[in-house]
Amino acid sequence: MIACVQMKLRAEDYRTEESFAARIMGIMERIRVEAGEGRLLVAFPEHIGTFCILSNAPERVWAKGSFAQASKALLLHHGAAVLHQMVVHRVSPVRALLLARSQELERIYLSPFVAAARKYEAWIVAGSAALRWGQTSRVFNTAPVITPTGQVIYRQHKVNLVDMEQKGGLDLEPAPLNYVSAVQSPFGPLGVAVCLDAFHPEVRQRLQGLGAKVFIQPSANNHPWDDWQQQDWLRSSFAAVAENKEFELAVNPMLVGRLWDIEFQGQSSIIDQNGHVVQAQSATEEEILIRKDLLN
């Protein structure tokens, strides 16, 4: 069975690490109850872990009126650690904040998914987060794949970055194309293409050449879900599976909701070679798409 989570951002879910953990465990419990017994693959949206950098922040951060103001307050709160990273690695303040908070961010983000994978015996593509690569100064938009034993067996780094991820935004690093690989699973080889990567033929061709059968596109679209955007989105998972038959199935979980003045919209979908198998009804509300008759 496959579950595609259209998760809605809510500030209260990121205020503490406990609230984020409760949110993820609640979603997974709901899915397992509806799914019943059996093999389970769950895919979450892009960047749901990135906002864990706000977890446990003081109230003065949350009291700000915009995401930019909150980010500045968070930088000041971790000023000494940020300055240290800036001096040592010669990076921007935003990259330095991600480096300074890297261990705590990764723990807050991944711990609930690891626990949920074990408790509910599920394979999970845990959306993504801005994660540090080892002890380097490199920070990628990374989508982890977790097994039912709670093992993080793979981390897919995003190759093609959107504006909010580049120098003027999160200051992430684009991954080389040869970092893209397929993951063996009971559902067939999984190919993860993080949002914009699914629009790029070279990423899809690499995954296809590596034998991927299930194409997973964790996404976070920070533009209005208007007619143009909906039509343009067909160039990603829909084109890969329904038109070009590059993969047997695509799962596209999308982030919705807002934090301060940053808003995400989109309609999640599970797609087979005949077209949309199932699609979210709303582009702004939380939904969980489930198909029990796929990849049995």
Side-chain angles (χ1 to χ4, degrees):
M1 197 206 78
I2 292 177
C4 175
V5 181
Q6 182 164 299
M7 182 171 157
K8 186 170 184 177
L9 277 177
R10 304 184 311 192
E12 59 265 30
D13 297 326
Y14 288 91
R15 282 184 176 268
T16 67
E17 59 186 281
E18 292 82 9
S19 58
F20 181 74
R23 180 81 158 108
I24 298 305
M25 293 299 284
I27 290 172
M28 287 298 301
E29 180 179 16
R30 174 183 165 188
I31 291 171
R32 178 47 89 184
V33 168
E34 185 166 344
E37 297 181 356
R39 293 183 306 181
L40 176 61
L41 171 64
V42 183
F44 282 80
E46 181 185 27
H47 278 309
I48 61 171
T50 299
F51 296 108
C52 287
I53 199 166
L54 292 159
S55 295
N56 305 328
E59 185 57 33
R60 64 178 178 274
V61 172
W62 289 102
K64 297 300 181 182
S66 70
F67 185 76
Q69 292 172 357
S71 299
K72 183 177 180 180
L74 192 64
L75 277 166
L76 293 173
H77 178 66
H78 295 285
V82 169
L83 182 59
H84 174 76
Q85 296 294 334
M86 290 177 67
V87 171
V88 170
H89 296 291
R90 298 183 179 179
V91 294
S92 70
V94 174
R95 176 77 69 92
L97 175 63
L98 290 168
L99 294 175
R101 292 269 291 159
S102 61
Q103 288 186 330
E104 187 173 11
L105 188 154
E106 184 165 332
R107 177 184 61 79
I108 293 170
Y109 164 48
L110 284 181
S111 294
F113 284 107
V114 168
R118 290 173 177 161
K119 182 174 182 178
Y120 298 109
E121 299 179 345
W123 283 76
I124 300 177
V125 179
S128 78
L131 298 181
R132 185 177 190 173
W133 192 52
Q135 295 303 306
T136 71
S137 62
R138 305 173 79 183
V139 180
F140 295 114
N141 182 358
T142 301
V145 180
I146 305 171
T147 71
T149 62
Q151 182 182 6
V152 181
I153 61 166
Y154 185 66
R155 297 171 183 239
Q156 183 58 69
H157 307 309
K158 190 175 184 180
V159 177
N160 301 279
L161 304 182
V162 298
D163 289 346
M164 67 170 279
E165 297 166 329
Q166 297 180 16
K167 292 290 185 182
L170 292 171
D171 192 17
L172 305 183
E173 188 161 338
L177 182 61
N178 63 6
Y179 280 29
V180 174
S181 191
V183 185
Q184 297 302 316
S185 82
F187 305 88
L190 308 178
V192 180
V194 182
C195 201
L196 185 58
D197 282 353
F199 289 78
H200 285 259
E202 68 274 14
V203 175
R204 300 195 329 232
Q205 288 166 7
R206 178 170 173 82
L207 287 170
Q208 188 180 24
L210 291 168
K213 300 297 183 185
V214 182
F215 188 65
I216 301 177
Q217 182 190 5
S219 297
N221 168 55
N222 63 329
H223 300 285
W225 193 245
D226 54 21
D227 291 343
W228 181 90
Q229 191 76 7
Q230 292 177 55
Q231 189 65 33
D232 187 61
W233 211 263
L234 297 177
R235 298 189 299 111
S236 56
S237 283
F238 185 85
V241 174
E243 295 177 357
N244 301 335
K245 319 298 183 188
E246 297 166 12
F247 310 97
E248 293 180 3
L249 190 76
V251 184
N252 180 205
M254 299 193 71
L255 188 65
V256 297
R258 64 186 299 160
L259 282 178
W260 288 284
D261 49 346
I262 296 181
E263 184 171 7
F264 299 90
Q265 295 184 6
Q267 287 176 279
S268 302
S269 56
I270 301 174
I271 305 161
D272 68 10
Q273 293 187 351
N274 296 315
H276 287 293
V277 176
V278 61
Q279 186 178 45
Q281 296 180 357
S282 170
T284 58
E285 298 302 321
E286 184 159 299
E287 296 184 40
I288 297 175
L289 311 181
I290 292 180
R291 291 292 301 200
K292 297 183 180 181
D293 57 341
L294 296 174
L295 304 179
N296 290 322

